[in-house]
Amino acid sequence: YAGYVTTPEEYELQQYEAGHTLHGKWTLPAYQQISSQLARSLETGTSTASDTSYDDWRGNSPQTDLPNGDNFSLPRGKKHGDLVLPVKVQYKAGETVSVAFWSDNPTALYETGGNFLLVEHKTPSGWKTVATDGDWNTTVRWRAEGEGLVAKILWTTNASTEAGKYRLSHFGQSSKSGTFSGVSPAITVQ
């Protein structure tokens, strides 16, 4: 089983595919080197030899269940979806907007098709969705904070981001409190 194969540069980012590149940063260059050697052998009709022994992982990786979120608790007086303060509310186009929420384990009660974040722009007719966690310019990073988990929501704007008011929302589920959400205060992008 090879998992994903990313470039060394993409591996450094440690996003989804890079996190599942099982053999490290240099997996792709190693595959390219080996493929080139095999292609040369096929073309010339010569055999290849290797002094590397087969790395058999069978039986060495125990099956473990995904955590259900029961191991996390919130600070006294906090609820899932509450903001982690302070919140910066002024940004320039091209900057990365950052908001953090008290959250829970993203694997707890996960439902396919759901979102962990939403970016909305205030228009005369109401809030309009401009990005979700499916967009390249958004990221969610969970980190342990004391006994709890914090979800840091990042939205990278660009020079063409329309000036105005925006808000970021976070969604999740907890085995203790059920479905939850949190919304940032209005954030100005100039």
Side-chain angles (χ1 to χ4, degrees), residues 47-124:
S47 63
T48 60
S50 174
D51 57 357
T52 304
S53 62
Y54 175 65
D55 184 16
D56 187 353
W57 285 23
R58 290 176 291 183
N60 292 330
S61 180
Q63 174 101 11
T64 56
D65 294 328
L66 289 173
N68 65 8
D70 289 339
N71 299 339
F72 301 102
S73 59
L74 295 171
R76 186 176 303 245
K78 298 294 181 187
K79 300 184 313 273
H80 291 108
D82 282 354
L83 285 164
V84 176
L85 300 173
V87 176
K88 181 179 171 186
V89 294
Q90 297 281 335
Y91 289 87
K92 293 180 181 170
E95 292 183 320
T96 299
V97 177
S98 174
V99 180
F101 297 90
W102 286 104
S103 191
D104 206 338
N105 189 324
T107 64
L109 310 171
Y110 177 74
E111 291 182 12
T112 302
N115 288 321
F116 290 114
L117 75 89
L118 193 65
V119 179
E120 297 172 294
H121 181 217
K122 188 169 188 173
T123 68

Side-chain angles (χ1 to χ4, degrees), residues 138-157:
T138 62
T139 307
V140 184
R141 295 279 186 248
W142 280 267
R143 72 173 189 271
E145 185 85 19
E147 298 294 316
L149 278 181
V150 169
K152 184 176 183 180
I153 310 295
L154 301 170
W155 170 50
T156 303
T157 65

Side-chain angles (χ1 to χ4, degrees), residues 1-35:
Y1 179 75
Y4 284 92
V5 178
T6 60
T7 64
E9 296 80 11
E10 187 178 5
Y11 184 84
E12 290 292 320
L13 296 175
Q14 281 298 294
Q15 293 185 6
Y16 180 83
E17 291 83 0
H20 290 276
T21 299
L22 299 177
H23 302 289
K25 179 178 181 177
W26 303 109
T27 301
L28 177 61
Y31 280 7
Q32 290 171 322
Q33 180 180 344
I34 291 167
S35 297

